[in-house]
Amino acid sequence: IAPANYLSREWDFARINVPHIQIVRPWKAKEAHYFISDTMQSGVLAAEGLIAMGRKIMAYLGFDLATSCNNDRQVGFVKTLKKARLPFNENSLRTCESSSELAYEAMKTWINDGFNAEGLFVYNDMMAFGVLRALSDAGIRVPEDVSVIGHDDIEVASCFVPRLTTIQTPKHRLGYESAEALLKLIRTNKGDLMVKRLAQNVIYEPILLVRET
């Protein structure tokens, strides 16, 4: 799994003498074969979903580390809003660490500072739960006053009250198929040509699950 905190480092995959496949996020190296979700499309889907709900003023609560997932989701989100000629500026963006508690505190601060968005995309579901609590405590109704979209579709998302609208990625399929491909590489002992034939770059498409938020 390509770790978020080490994306700036250069890895020489040509020097790795064992079969290897990356998941979650790709590296630039040509030798790196990966299985990932299209995280920029996640941002696109979130923006399109909020627009379809009739929202005009949007915001994004992101992760405060410089990860490719956070950057891609934000880029896809903002590009889609601009394409629809909807505003997005420095007041439309806040970040915090990835936890419900810290998202709750960040959202409380944002509300006190004058949060006025009608549609909010949140980096992941755990953060979205904190956001929903902060909105509720402030008397801001979901989805009547503001629509909220999370990301990941964790198990609790469909049980939360209200049930969380979120972006789902095929995590189990990604894990299974990447492991299957790696096992094929391990079991193959027929030279570089066969290894290159078995190795793949696979990008999975996310989907928007519209629920109650």
Side-chain angles (χ1 to χ4, degrees):
I1 300 177
N5 293 340
Y6 293 86
L7 292 178
S8 61
R9 299 187 181 184
E10 293 294 332
W11 290 74
D12 186 0
F13 282 89
R15 298 180 62 185
I16 298 178
N17 296 318
V18 295
H20 56 278
I21 285 177
Q22 296 175 75
I23 66 171
V24 181
R25 50 182 63 84
W27 296 86
K28 297 179 181 179
K30 293 180 180 179
E31 297 83 2
H33 305 287
Y34 55 80
F35 288 69
I36 64 171
S37 173
D38 187 344
T39 52
M40 190 171 295
Q41 181 63 15
S42 292
V44 172
L45 290 176
E48 290 178 344
L50 292 170
I51 291 170
M53 296 171 194
R55 304 308 187 181
K56 302 295 184 183
I57 304 173
M58 312 295 192
Y60 177 60
L61 179 62
F63 188 29
D64 66 354
L65 289 180
T67 67
S68 59
C69 291
N70 180 70
N71 181 68
D72 288 349
R73 290 172 199 175
Q74 182 179 331
V75 168
F77 187 67
V78 174
K79 280 187 175 181
T80 306
L81 295 181
K82 288 184 176 180
K83 185 177 179 180
R85 298 183 178 180
L86 294 175
F88 191 92
N89 53 49
E90 60 182 13
N91 297 320
S92 308
L93 174 67
R94 292 288 174 99
T95 63
C96 68
E97 293 183 39
S98 180
S99 79
S100 296
E101 181 179 358
L102 293 175
Y104 173 76
E105 295 299 332
M107 195 66 221
K108 278 206 311 181
T109 300
W110 202 351
I111 292 168
N112 291 334
D113 290 343
F115 176 80
N116 67 341
E118 303 169 349
L120 177 62
F121 179 34
V122 185
Y123 174 73
N124 64 28
D125 291 347
M126 290 304 297
M127 291 169 62
F129 297 148
V131 164
L132 291 173
R133 176 61 186 273
L135 292 170
S136 177
D137 286 355
I140 300 173
R141 301 170 300 167
V142 177
E144 291 85 355
D145 301 323
V146 58
S147 296
V148 177
I149 296 179
H151 195 287
D152 293 340
D153 190 32
I154 63 175
E155 185 176 357
V156 183
S158 61
C159 303
F160 199 79
V161 179
R163 295 191 303 153
L164 181 65
T165 296
T166 186
I167 305 292
Q168 181 191 74
T169 58
K171 299 183 291 293
H172 296 289
R173 183 182 167 200
L174 186 155
Y176 182 88
E177 292 181 357
S178 60
E180 188 177 51
L182 181 58
L183 288 173
K184 286 181 180 179
L185 289 178
I186 293 171
R187 291 166 181 162
T188 298
N189 188 22
K190 297 181 180 180
D192 292 340
L193 183 61
M194 181 59 72
V195 169
K196 289 179 180 179
R197 185 178 69 82
L198 288 174
Q200 308 170 62
N201 291 336
V202 180
I203 301 177
Y204 298 91
E205 292 297 318
I207 61 173
L208 172 64
L209 298 178
V210 179
R211 294 187 176 125
E212 296 174 351
T213 62

